[in-house]
Amino acid sequence: MIMTNKVEAFIWRNGTYIKKEEEIVSDETITLVINDTLKRNFSISPESLKDFAIGYMLGENLINSVDNIENLEIEDNEIIATIDLEDFYIRKELIAGSDCFGGWRSKIDMINKVDSDLTLDGKDLLKNMEEMNENAFIWKKTGGTHIASLINKKNNEFISREDISRHVAVDKVIGAAARKKLNFKDSYIIYSGRMPADVLIKIARVGIPIIVSNAAPTLSGYSVANEAKITMIGFIRENKFNVYTHENRVK
């Protein structure tokens, strides 16, 4: 599937219209079908769909690991997953949702606290934020995507994924890292966008100890980060950032 399309637009500049070809980001309605019984529709960028499906299922606690997936196929605009998990039918009733609205308050008590000895140097955070921005290829062309990067210090991995949805961008990097069998406890996420509860719940469930953003936290996100022992860092830019929770992981 194609991530961008070219269209004609009229650019108003200094009182004059200029006809120009513009590149805009693609979006598609993608249906995720799990075990024939759970179907969810998403408006997302049509790329890295297997990464998305795996990251989504991990972040929603529908699977424990990639090993629970028996089959994963893409047919047109459908992602069809078969998973082998005895309590799947119980878990599917507890989905918070990969969007801005979820029953997060009822989910906090069910999230384990993140146990990780990962520490970071502030200068490395700033450097990796710059690298993430350099990897935002679709955003540079269109201005229409969010980007998330997962950095694993132990394996020296830097994975980036873009999407029109900041939630799905996070799902995609989680899925990509899971496919590489990276240890989430040695990893952290940098991404563009606010930090609400549902994003923090995703990373808490997989055991990622640190989230970094160039944007702001929300109170719900702060509450989850504080409760789940996640280090939340916001407003990272140029030579500064704010550490909101569990500052012991930042040198």
Side-chain angles (χ1 to χ4, degrees):
M1 295 185 182
I2 301 172
M3 279 289 283
T4 65
N5 281 273
K6 292 183 178 180
V7 300
E8 287 188 348
F10 289 90
I11 312 301
W12 190 89
R13 185 174 297 156
N14 297 326
T16 304
Y17 277 118
I18 302 169
K19 190 176 182 180
K20 184 184 176 185
E21 189 176 71
E22 286 282 298
E23 200 162 4
I24 61 175
V25 68
S26 303
D27 56 338
E28 297 280 349
T29 299
I30 302 294
T31 302
L32 174 60
V33 183
I34 307 172
N35 286 0
D36 294 323
T37 59
L38 177 60
K39 294 185 179 182
R40 296 294 303 271
N41 293 324
F42 304 87
S43 179
I44 66 179
S45 302
E47 186 182 63
S48 304
L49 295 182
K50 286 189 176 181
D51 291 342
F52 158 67
I54 293 168
Y56 174 80
M57 290 189 290
L58 284 168
E60 296 296 348
N61 200 33
L62 291 170
I63 57 175
N64 297 324
S65 73
V66 176
D67 296 335
N68 296 131
I69 302 173
E70 291 185 339
N71 193 43
L72 186 62
E73 295 179 358
I74 298 172
E75 296 180 5
D76 297 324
N77 282 32
E78 279 194 344
I79 309 168
I80 302 169
T82 305
I83 63 176
D84 180 19
L85 208 61
E86 289 185 0
D87 60 349
F88 165 72
Y89 294 100
I90 297 173
R91 294 188 184 206
K92 76 175 186 176
E93 302 300 325
L94 303 174
I95 295 176
S98 195
D99 49 45
C100 292
F101 304 99
W104 67 270
R105 292 182 187 277
S106 63
K107 307 295 189 293
I108 291 182
D109 292 338
M110 299 158 52
I111 298 171
N112 293 330
K113 298 188 188 314
V114 176
D115 179 20
S116 170
D117 296 326
L118 179 65
T119 58
L120 300 175
D121 186 279
K123 292 180 180 178
D124 289 337
L125 284 177
L126 294 168
K127 181 183 72 174
N128 287 330
M129 185 70 185
E130 290 180 8
E131 185 172 348
M132 184 195 76
N133 290 333
E134 289 171 4
N135 290 338
F137 302 114
I138 305 302
W139 181 85
K140 289 176 185 177
K141 291 180 180 180
T142 67
T145 58
H146 285 280
I147 182 168
S149 294
L150 183 141
I151 299 96
N152 181 279
K153 286 184 69 177
K154 188 174 181 179
N155 295 75
N156 198 28
E157 290 273 0
F158 197 111
I159 303 170
S160 297
R161 294 290 186 270
E162 290 183 79
D163 199 90
I164 58 168
S165 163
R166 66 181 184 270
H167 299 78
V168 173
V170 171
D171 288 331
K172 286 180 177 179
V173 289
I174 288 174
R179 294 175 76 180
K180 289 192 171 191
K181 304 289 187 180
L182 297 179
N183 189 336
F184 288 117
K185 290 185 178 183
D186 299 326
S187 307
Y188 64 101
I189 280 182
I190 299 180
Y191 94 123
S192 61
R194 297 187 312 278
M195 294 179 284
D198 43 8
V199 171
L200 271 295
I201 288 171
K202 288 178 187 295
I203 72 167
R205 279 178 171 155
V206 298
I208 294 173
I210 301 171
I211 184 169
V212 185
S213 174
N214 59 0
T218 68
L219 182 58
S220 68
Y222 173 88
S223 299
V224 175
N226 197 44
E227 188 72 21
K229 296 194 179 301
I230 294 171
T231 301
M232 172 188 274
I233 301 170
F235 292 114
I236 182 167
R237 58 195 67 178
E238 297 173 354
N239 63 346
K240 62 182 180 180
F241 52 80
N242 296 353
V243 184
Y244 291 95
T245 57
H246 304 288
E247 69 281 354
N248 56 297
R249 293 195 180 101
V250 185
K251 296 180 183 177

